[in-house]
Amino acid sequence: MSVPSSSRARAIGAASAVAVLLIWSSFIVVARYGARLTLTPFDVAFVRFVFSGLVGLAVLAVLAPRGASPLAGLGWRRVAALAGTAGIGYCSLAYSAFFFAPAAHGAVLMPGSLPLWTALAALVLLRERLTARRMLGLVLIVAGDLLVGGASLVRAFDGDTTWRGDLMFLAAAMCWGTYTVLCRRWQVGAVAATLAIAVGCLASYVPLYALGAAMGWWPSALAAASWTEIGAQALYQGGLAMWVAGVAFTHAVRTFGPVRTTMVTALVPGIAALAAVPLLGEPLGAHALAGLACVTLGLFLGLRAVPAPAPAAALAATR
């Protein structure tokens, strides 16, 4: 008995939404675990951009002969802006942050504070007004960030360096929020946005970083790392986190609509923070738990208060 096409489409859409949720949540755990291994944060970014960039070139090679290049009309300035914010900026800051702060902090301060930075960027670049309900959600997000980041600042007086990672998490979320708004302002589609990041970083970050590492301008552990570690980071960061999550999110939006699909972002902080307890042995403190509760509630309130659909391009790449 054949399954009706509508039922099959919904099943694929549901599977896509679950895939996005798992990849976005696991990104935090995988990145934190990677900080315990050999590669430096900038090595991880290099490996991600090499793999995703080569995939991007292959996609362009397939689409270009058909006259359907997604990058046509974007221009190098916009490609540079998207690659600089969601590519080089986000990845360099996020990967570096996990060398200082635990996964629970990343879960609260990155996906948790993303709506805050997106709203502020939209206020400046798009003149977008905030509703009262969305404002309440943002207030709760700020409260959660202060509970987590404030505790780190207090411990800084005793020599603790977690606050450095917390600031980097916030800066990474700010980069992604800016990218989100730029995609909306320029009406960039999901595939075009992901290609811009992949190809832009391959053309800029990859050769510059390779030259600097070869010349000894900055430290690199690529030569000391095993091929297993390098390959795993390439497949996960450049393949799953960049390309698979982007395609899956786009399909979920097509099936369920953008507003319902983006509700999965409210589940990411809790899943990632709780998963880090058994997988990484990082217990949740009282401040982290309270901050997580505030941020999760703020995300639910904020997402339910958004009347216009969030663009697929804005969330296509994650992490």
Side-chain angles (χ1 to χ4, degrees), residues 9-241:
R10 290 185 65 84
I12 296 174
S16 298
V18 171
V20 171
L21 178 61
L22 292 176
I23 292 172
W24 287 2
S25 300
S26 64
F27 171 84
I28 293 170
V29 177
V30 171
R32 174 62 173 170
Y33 178 74
R36 301 177 179 180
L37 301 179
T38 309
L39 296 175
T40 71
F42 300 103
D43 289 337
V44 177
F46 173 82
V47 171
R48 171 174 173 144
F49 296 150
V50 168
F51 188 90
S52 63
L54 292 176
V55 173
L57 291 180
V59 171
L60 284 176
V62 171
L63 296 179
R66 303 176 184 176
S69 174
L71 295 182
L74 256 186
W76 71 268
R77 288 183 177 86
R78 292 184 177 182
V79 170
L82 298 178
T85 51
I88 298 172
Y90 175 81
C91 292
S92 297
L93 288 165
Y95 295 148
S96 297
F98 284 111
F99 278 71
F100 296 97
H105 287 220
V108 171
L109 297 175
M110 276 203 304
S113 69
L114 180 59
L116 171 65
W117 297 114
T118 304
L120 292 176
L123 185 66
V124 173
L125 298 176
L126 303 178
R127 300 293 188 265
E128 185 178 281
R129 298 178 62 183
L130 299 176
T131 63
R133 187 167 184 172
R134 195 175 180 191
M135 281 289 293
L136 176 59
L138 295 179
V139 168
L140 286 169
I141 288 172
V142 171
D145 291 347
L146 289 175
L147 282 168
V148 173
S152 299
L153 287 176
V154 171
R155 292 195 300 270
F157 292 102
D158 298 324
D160 186 83
T161 58
T162 303
W163 64 273
R164 298 180 183 177
D166 290 348
L167 288 180
M168 290 179 190
F169 284 138
L170 290 172
M174 182 173 65
C175 286
W176 197 268
T178 303
Y179 158 75
T180 299
V181 175
L182 290 177
C183 286
R184 292 173 58 188
R185 184 176 184 177
W186 297 332
Q187 296 295 301
V188 184
V191 175
T194 307
L195 274 172
I197 299 169
V199 176
C201 292
L202 180 65
S204 57
Y205 182 96
V206 168
L208 180 60
Y209 186 76
L211 176 62
M215 298 297 292
W217 297 342
W218 39 70
S220 172
L222 282 168
S226 68
W227 282 108
T228 300
E229 180 181 353
I230 294 173
Q233 290 285 11
L235 289 173
Y236 181 87
Q237 302 293 349
L240 286 176

Side-chain angles (χ1 to χ4, degrees), residues 249-285:
F249 184 86
T250 304
H251 192 85
V253 168
R254 191 178 299 119
T255 305
F256 300 112
V259 175
R260 291 179 64 191
T261 303
T262 51
M263 289 298 291
V264 300
T265 62
L267 301 175
V268 171
I271 292 175
L274 293 175
V277 177
L279 295 178
L280 300 177
E282 296 182 351
L284 284 171

